[in-house]
Amino acid sequence: MECDPVSPAVELTPAAAGLLRRLRADHGPLMFHQSGGCCDGSAPMCYPAGEFRTGGSDVLLAELAVEGMSERVPFWMSRTQYAVWAHTRLIVDVVEGRGSGFSLEAPEGVRFLIRSRLVEGNG
């Protein structure tokens, strides 16, 4: 599936890229999915590539290039969550503290989260 050309940009902070490199070394190729919902459901979850099944209710927002990784990391979001974030630039970051989801970084004592800023002229 191709990335939607009008979707918001997704980028990684240096901390998020570093964590992805460590997770890649332990788990192989990776993917993100952000489903929406409450609590950690609105945080991006990192899985081994292909472990989370995507479908027609999901949008591929980006395929993130991470220095030191040979493959890109797809970033998927549920269509309903995408409707909320459609006018923002998504920035994947890492903070201390364990999330309650099944994301690969949970045992590391950190969790991925989204920071965002509005995109001008989009819409």
Side-chain angles (χ1 to χ4, degrees):
M1 177 178 223
E2 294 283 321
C3 294
D4 182 344
V6 297
S7 71
V10 180
E11 64 183 72
L12 298 167
T13 64
L19 180 55
L20 284 172
R21 282 189 289 275
R22 291 196 312 271
L23 294 173
R24 168 62 174 90
D26 292 340
H27 301 283
L30 305 169
M31 68 179 288
F32 277 111
H33 187 272
Q34 185 168 333
S35 65
C38 70
C39 308
D40 281 345
S42 59
M45 299 287 162
C46 184
Y47 301 100
E51 185 171 298
F52 186 94
R53 188 171 294 214
T54 58
S57 63
D58 299 300
V59 177
L60 179 61
L61 297 184
E63 292 184 331
L64 302 166
V66 181
E67 186 176 335
M69 291 174 54
S70 59
E71 69 284 324
R72 292 178 178 262
V73 178
F75 189 102
W76 293 87
M77 183 179 279
S78 71
R79 285 191 188 282
T80 55
Q81 185 75 347
Y82 173 69
V84 174
W85 293 93
H87 301 295
T88 60
R89 181 173 189 82
L90 304 178
I91 304 153
V92 181
D93 200 359
V94 176
V95 294
E96 299 226 359
R98 186 166 181 223
S100 62
F102 298 103
S103 195
L104 289 174
E105 80 282 1
E108 304 278 327
V110 295
R111 62 188 177 92
F112 288 109
L113 65 82
I114 291 292
R115 299 186 190 281
S116 64
R117 68 177 173 264
L118 289 175
V119 176
E120 295 292 326
N122 193 7

